[in-house]
Amino acid sequence: MEIKKEIKLKKIPTKASEQYRNFPMVPRVVFGNGSFDQLGDILMPKRKHSEAPMIFLVDDVFEGTDLVKRIPRIFCDQIIFVSAEEEPKTQQVDALVSMIQKTFQEEPSGIVGIGGGTLLDLAKAVAILMTNKGGAANYQGWDLVNKKSIYHVGIPTISGTGAEVSRTTVLLGPDKKLGINSDYTTFDQVLLDPELTKGVCKEQWFYTGMDCYIHCVESLNGTYLNAFSQSYGEKALDLCKEVFLNDLPQAESRDKLMMASWHGGMSIAYSQVGVAHALSYGLGYLLGIKHGIGNCLVFQHLEEFYPKGVELFHKMKYKHNIELPKGICKNLSEAELDSMVTVALGMEPLWENALGENWRSSITPDKIKAIYRKI
Ligand code: NAD
Ligand code: ZN
């Protein structure tokens, strides 16, 4: 993908002011195959006392596996298995928080999320709701969290979303799918052990990996691009090309995709995603289609917006023999299509990043519907 010759330096708009955003980064990170076995040492200084447990939220795909035996559980620590079948919901966060508060008199020492974007987002949200009153839905939006969350650790087991570095946790609420975007959302510690991604099936590897690729394309082609985002976006894009277009040894491919995810996440932190994410939100909201595959379903039809990015996407898809489902929106009513359009158009910063300040003049509900109808 060619980077735009002229890079428009633009302040990231914030609601409150026109200042540059001062955003948090993950303060501590471990990278390396087998680094999971250091988790006990990492957590030890964060343990408040024997009655304040570490809560491990673990993707239930790992139930009964060796990974669970390696979790450094002591005192009254608890492992809670959670299904990643569906994307995280505000009610699910509330239920987990209430269960933890009922089980333990003391506030936990920390929350450790082990899994893909679904478990990482749940861990972030539960850590926030341990100290902030009310339900998770109250905090969906920008900078609505008032109190620091409890210590929380993210351990990805599949690469691509960038959820391990981001300051958001995307939740499906009663009336919207929206992140809890706050300075307290970001993990206190991330552990990157590429070996943990060994069991991921090819299709899921591709969908979640393409989330990262699409982050790069949308960030690098956006009007919010600046040198900060570009430096991370270019690196992530190069890594994605190596992983998805070359024939790397598996271990190298796992290492590189994990770092691509990190850099892709850093790139969008200081810019924004674009058209594919806006439309994918609509699919997720109405049909429950998950983020990675939803992005792929949309992105394949976005040659008008990202011609080179889409061309390369087709090459990658072909190389890995990925068949995307068809006819998803075929039987949707006009009202259902309208509701997806409303969700998509509601993602204003994404459109502004993709198409510039006058985006409303170049994108119409009919145009969006026409794209949905192709899916
Ligand atoms: P996921 O967590 O939904 O998991 C996808 C599938 O892979 C699940 O079936 C899971 O059980 C399985 N899986 C995970 N690790 C595995 C392993 N090692 N072996 C075998 N199977 C494994 O996938 P995802 O694509 O990483 O996450 C999607 C979620 O991330 C969505 O909810 C999306 O909203 C969120 N997201 C968040 C951000 C953010 O910045 N917070 C960014 C992008 C996406
Ligand atoms: Zn994404």
Side-chain angles (χ1 to χ4, degrees), residues 20 29 34 45 53 76 96 102 129 137 177 180 214-215 255 296 303 324 334 350 357:
Y20 290 106
V29 56
C76 53
L96 281 165
K102 276 185 194 140
L129 270 292
K177 183 177 174 188
I180 300 180
I214 296 168
H215 291 161
D255 287 6
C296 292
E303 53 283 332
L324 290 172
E334 279 303 303
L350 282 64
E357 276 166 16

Side-chain angles (χ1 to χ4, degrees), residues 134-288:
N138 296 334
Y139 300 100
Q140 283 180 288
W142 281 267
D143 301 306
L144 303 173
V145 179
N146 307 310
K147 286 195 189 150
K148 193 174 174 349
S149 49
I150 66 167
Y151 175 72
H152 53 304
V153 181
I155 307 182
T157 64
I158 180 170
S159 300
T161 63
E164 64 279 16
V165 289
S166 73
R167 80 189 276 283
T168 190
T169 156
V170 186
L171 301 175
L172 191 63
D175 51 19
K176 53 183 178 274
K177 183 177 174 188
L178 187 61
I180 300 180
N181 299 266
S182 85
D183 283 354
Y184 304 123
T185 310
T186 316
F187 283 116
D188 297 298
Q189 167 83 54
V190 167
L191 188 150
L192 301 175
D193 182 344
E195 269 178 7
L196 301 184
T197 66
K198 268 183 180 172
V200 177
C201 71
K202 188 180 77 175
E203 279 71 22
Q204 193 60 55
W205 166 80
F206 185 82
Y207 301 148
T208 301
M210 283 301 111
D211 188 23
C212 176
Y213 172 70
I214 296 168
H215 291 161
C216 301
V217 174
E218 294 188 322
S219 171
L220 292 171
N221 290 285
T223 62
Y224 288 2
L225 189 67
N226 53 46
F228 186 103
S229 302
Q230 188 185 10
S231 63
Y232 285 105
E234 284 176 354
K235 187 67 210 169
L237 184 61
D238 285 348
L239 289 167
C240 284
K241 284 184 193 165
E242 278 195 72
V243 168
F244 291 103
L245 292 172
N246 295 354
D247 295 296
L248 297 180
Q250 283 187 2
E252 189 180 343
S253 171
R254 284 195 296 269
D255 287 6
K256 288 191 163 163
L257 190 54
M258 196 159 257
M259 287 322 297
S261 175
W262 182 276
H263 282 77
M266 287 300 298
S267 180
I268 50 175
Y270 223 132
S271 64
Q272 193 38 283
V273 285
V275 181
H277 276 75
L279 297 193
S280 176
Y281 267 85
L283 282 180
Y285 184 74
L286 187 82
L287 304 172

Side-chain angles (χ1 to χ4, degrees), residues 7-19:
I7 298 155
K8 203 171 165 191
L9 282 167
K10 178 164 175 145
K11 289 179 184 180
I12 301 295
T14 60
K15 269 193 174 168
S17 72
E18 275 301 307
Q19 290 188 332

Side-chain angles (χ1 to χ4, degrees), residues 50-110:
S50 59
E51 303 298 310
M54 283 290 169
I55 307 289
F56 299 90
L57 298 181
V58 184
D59 188 322
D60 69 1
V61 78
F62 294 109
E63 213 166 344
T65 67
D66 188 49
L67 184 74
V68 176
K69 294 190 200 125
R70 291 166 64 202
I71 293 176
R73 194 174 151 191
I74 55 172
F75 305 133
C76 53
D77 286 358
Q78 195 173 3
I79 297 176
I80 303 175
F81 290 106
V82 184
S83 166
E85 206 54 37
E86 291 182 359
E87 299 202 331
K89 298 187 175 54
T90 52
Q91 296 100 311
Q92 188 184 9
V93 173
D94 297 342
L96 281 165
V97 170
S98 142
M99 182 178 107
I100 294 166
Q101 285 171 340
K102 276 185 194 140
T103 312
F104 301 97
Q105 309 227 304
E106 298 284 333
E107 188 179 272
S109 295

